[in-house]
Amino acid sequence: METIRVIRGMRDIHPDQALWWQRMERRLADTLRRYGYGEIRTPLLEPTALFARSIGEETDIVEKEMYTFQDRDGSSLTLRPEGTASVVRSYIENTQWKKEPVSRLYYLGSMFRHERPQKGRYRQFSQVGVELIGSLEPAADVEMIDVMVECMNAIGLKDTSLQLNSLGCSACRPNYRDSLVVYLKQNQGDLCDNCRRRLDINPLRVLDCKAEACRRVADGAPKIIDVLCADCAGHFQTVRKGLENLALDYEINHRMVRGLDYYTRTTFEMVAAGLGAQNAVAGGGRYDDLVKTLGGPEIPAIGFAAGLDRILLKLQDTIPEPASPPNIFVVTRGEAGWRASLELMRGLRRAGVQVCSDVRRGSMKSQMKQANRRGARFVIILGEDELTAGRVTVKDMHAEENSDQKQIQVPREDLHGFLLNRLGLLEGVVG
Ligand code: HAM
C-alpha cells in the first residue's frame, strides 16, 4: 500500500530536534516575562475576514498564501498566517482597554502560509510574536525593539543587523504614495511583471521586490522618511534617540515596507547572516489603526514576530546542542526483578531523574544494548540476587572499565543519596 507522506512545506520535529525548540522557547518565555509580557493563546482557525481586513486584500498573504476552506456551515475559515490579527481580535472582543491601559502580550506557535517551500521557508512555521497595545509614544517603539534584540540575544543568535524605517501615517503616506507612483511609472519599463501589476494597487511593495532590475529602480525612488509629516518625523527622531541610548546599532532601510498592510510609522526587521534569501529572522512595526479597523476604539499598538524555524537553522550551526539531562536505565532479571523495579523507578522519577527500562523484557544483553543506545549515564541492575541481598548494582557508564567505580553494590534504601552524593552528577536533576 502506498504510504502517506507529510504535506509539502510541513515537517515533523523529532525528539532530538525538539530539545532545541524547548530550550529556545524556554529562553524566550523567560526573557518576555522579565519585560512584563504575558502569554496569550488564540485559536489556529479564525474567520477569513479577520485576515483580509487586517493584513490587507492586496497582499501576497491574503491574495495567494492563505489556507482557506469552508466550514460545515458554509462559513469561510482560515488557518492563521500570522498572530497579530488574532491578538487584536481578542483584545477588542474582551474590551481589554477597560481593564488595563497598556496590554503586553506574546504568543508562540504555528502559522500557515502557502508559500514556495525552500530552506528557511515553510508552509507551517513557528513564530514568537510580541504585541504592546495602548501607547502612541516612541517609548513603546524603543521597548519593542529592545525586547526583540534581547530575545535574540537570549537564544544565542549572533551576526544580526537591525533595520529601521518609518511608513508614516494616514496624513503623510498618501502623498508619498502618489509621488512614488509617479516615479515608478516613469521607470515602468524596468520593473518585473509582478511589480508592474502591483504599481497601482500596492506601489510600496515594489520597493522590496527581490528582482535585480526592480532593486535598481527602488534605489532611486523617493524616500518616505524625507516626506514624513512633522508628527511622524518627530516620533521617528525620538525612537532613534532611544535606540542610541541603548547603544543599539541600526541602519535605515528605505526599501523595508513589510508585507502586511496594517503598518504605520516605525517598521523594523532583524536580518541574520548566513541564511541565504530567507534572512529576515524577525520583523514588525507600529499598527496604530488596526484596533479601529477591526471594530475597536482608536488605540495604537506596536509589535514584532520572529521566525523560529529559520533562527534554529542558524543556531544549529553556531551554538552547542542542548545537553540532555543524565539518564538512568534499569536492567532487570526475572519476574521478581521487574516487579521490584517498578516502584524503584517511580521513586527516582518522582525525585526528578529520567529513568527508562526495557518494556520488551529482553535478555540482559539486549537490555544493556538499549541502555547504551539511550546514552544512559548509570545502569541499575535488579535481579533475584540483588533483591535477596536488599541492594542494587549500579554501573557507572562513564567510569574506566577496570576501575572500582565501574560497578558498585548499593543498599536499596541508600540509592537516592548515593546517586546524588557519591556520583554528584545528578545535582539539580534530583529533588
Ligand atoms: P512577518 O514579517 O510576516 O510579520 O513574519 C515575521 C517573521 O516570521 C519573518 O521575519 C520570518 O522570520 C518568519 N516567517 C514568515 N514567513 C515564514 C515562512 N513561510 N517560513 C518560515 N518563517 C517565516 C508578521 O507575521 C507580523 N505579524 C509581525 C508583527 C507582529 N507585526 C506587528 N506585530
Side-chain angles (χ1 to χ4, degrees), residues 82 84 113 115 120 122 127 131 258 262-263 280-281 303-304 307:
E82 61 110 44
T84 310
R113 294 184 194 175
E115 294 190 82
Y122 311 99
Q127 284 185 343
E131 316 289 352
R258 312 276 305 129
Y262 49 62
Y263 290 110
V281 288
F304 78 90

Side-chain angles (χ1 to χ4, degrees), residues 326 328 347-348 350-353 377-378 380 394 396 408 410-431:
I328 290 177
L348 286 170
R350 284 182 177 171
V353 187
R377 175 70 176 86
F378 304 107
I380 296 173
V394 179
D396 181 347
I408 309 155
V410 183
R412 282 276 299 269
E413 63 274 19
D414 294 347
L415 187 62
H416 287 195
F418 174 85
L419 289 171
L420 251 178
N421 302 328
R422 176 82 160 63
L423 302 171
L425 260 162
L426 297 174
E427 237 167 318
V429 178
V430 176

Side-chain angles (χ1 to χ4, degrees), residues 2 50 86 136 256 312 335 369:
E2 206 181 310
L50 174 67
S86 302
L136 194 58
M256 193 238 297
L312 207 57
E335 176 81 10
K369 244 190 185 161

